């Protein structure tokens, strides 16, 4: 799956790669989380555009978002069938610019975070589907989910799911929603090739959404991992409180 990701490339570089007409200026983000506004590239009136959308898709038929599950990912195997995604995959496909993402692997009874990125260091585009949810008072909210696929042999060592990444040569094919036919984009919804991505362990500071700095993506040593594990072991356990899915006006603030 994909539950946190990173955007660190310069705005001008991302604009050149994705080809949208807007010229947004924004700082790097090292810990983008669900319910936050995130950038989405879409095709509209023949041109590519940059738009902010809430990460966590809300289908148009949802009446009360407070009681609806937060859909941050859409499985490639069932995206054509699931009621929440089957219209969006045909008519509302987008790309999410990123420079990598985090995944957690259970090691020694604790979850160790890893930063995953292209081996060549280039930015990437997550395959995404989006919907515009309209509330009872006419308010509108653009929402989005990242498409995931079964992990390949290498990345499966971390997690059995990976975000689908679209190659720049296939951006146009993925974004083109000129017809309802989806046969052309089905081959794109697969895991990255073996060796295309690299990863390394990072600090558990990434677990806290409030932490958002360049130190989060730096590799940590085995000694540092052990020190973090020992520190966590002596921390008092906090009571777990169930929280309902975030509402559209949850006050998460802007990505930029």
């Amino acid at each position: 799956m994909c539950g946190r990701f990173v955007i660190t490339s310069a705005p001008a570089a991302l604009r050149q790669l994705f080809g949208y007409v807007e010229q947004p200026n924004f700082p790097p983000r090292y810990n983008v989380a669900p319910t936050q506004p995130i950038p989405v590239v879409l095709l509209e009136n023949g041109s590519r555009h940059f738009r902010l959308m809430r990460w966590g898709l809300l289908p148009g038929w949802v009446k009360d978002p407070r009681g609806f599950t937060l859909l941050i990912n859409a499985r490639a195997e069932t995206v054509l069938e699931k009621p929440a995604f089957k219209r969006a995959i045909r008519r509302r496909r987008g790309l999410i610019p990123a420079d990598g993402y985090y995944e957690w692997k259970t090691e020694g009874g604790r979850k160790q975070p890893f930063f995953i990125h292209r081996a060549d260091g280039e930015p990437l585009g997550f395959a995404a589907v989006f919907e515009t949810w309209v509330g009872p008072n006419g308010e509108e909210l653009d929402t989005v989910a990242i498409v995931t696929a079964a992990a390949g042999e290498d990345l499966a060592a971390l997690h059995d799911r990976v975000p689908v990444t679209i190659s720049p040569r296939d951006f146009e094919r993925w974004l083109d929603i000129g017809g309802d036919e989806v046969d052309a984009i089905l081959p794109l919804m697969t895991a990255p090739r073996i060796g295309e991505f690299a990863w390394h362990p990072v600090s558990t500071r990434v677990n806290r959404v409030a932490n958002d700095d360049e130190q989060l993506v730096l590799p940590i040593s085995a000694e540092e991992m052990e020190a973090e594990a020992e520190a966590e072991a002596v921390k008092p356990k906090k009571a777990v409180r169930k929280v309902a899915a975030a509402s559209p006006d949850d006050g998460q603030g802007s990505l930029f």
Side-chain angles (χ1 to χ4, degrees), residues 142-218:
D142 292 328
T143 65
V144 65
I146 295 172
V147 180
T148 68
E153 184 178 345
D154 54 351
L155 285 168
L158 299 181
H159 198 279
D160 61 353
R161 306 293 300 178
V162 294
V164 170
T165 53
I166 305 297
S167 168
R169 66 175 179 273
D170 294 317
F171 282 177
E172 194 68 23
R173 179 156 50 133
W174 176 259
L175 293 174
D176 183 9
I177 43 92
D180 279 343
E181 296 301 323
V182 292
D183 292 346
I185 57 108
L186 293 180
L188 303 180
M189 292 192 291
T190 58
R193 300 186 308 274
I194 293 177
E196 187 176 352
F197 279 68
W199 58 89
H200 55 258
V202 295
S203 171
T204 52
R205 290 183 60 245
V206 73
N207 296 351
R208 191 165 183 264
V209 176
N211 294 328
D212 189 352
D213 57 75
E214 60 186 6
Q215 300 296 316
L216 296 182
V217 299
L218 297 181

Side-chain angles (χ1 to χ4, degrees), residues 29-98:
R29 287 293 311 277
Y30 295 90
N31 201 3
V32 183
T35 74
Q36 293 179 345
I38 63 174
V40 179
V41 180
L42 64 151
L43 191 65
E44 193 173 62
N45 298 323
S47 299
R48 295 183 193 176
H49 293 273
F50 176 105
R51 184 178 298 171
L52 289 179
M53 299 186 185
R54 190 197 75 158
W55 187 9
L57 186 139
L58 277 176
W61 41 262
V62 171
K63 301 299 183 185
D64 185 356
R66 291 172 297 182
F68 189 75
T69 302
L70 193 65
L71 301 176
I72 64 171
N73 294 152
R75 295 173 68 93
E77 298 88 340
T78 58
V79 70
L80 293 174
E81 307 159 7
K82 293 292 184 179
F85 307 118
K86 65 181 183 180
R87 293 180 61 189
I89 190 62
R90 293 179 180 274
R91 305 297 299 166
R92 288 174 284 279
R93 295 191 297 271
L95 293 164
I96 297 174

Side-chain angles (χ1 to χ4, degrees), residues 122-139:
E122 292 297 310
L124 51 94
F126 292 140
V129 292
F130 60 91
E131 286 280 8
T132 298
W133 179 80
V134 181
N137 298 316
E139 65 271 28

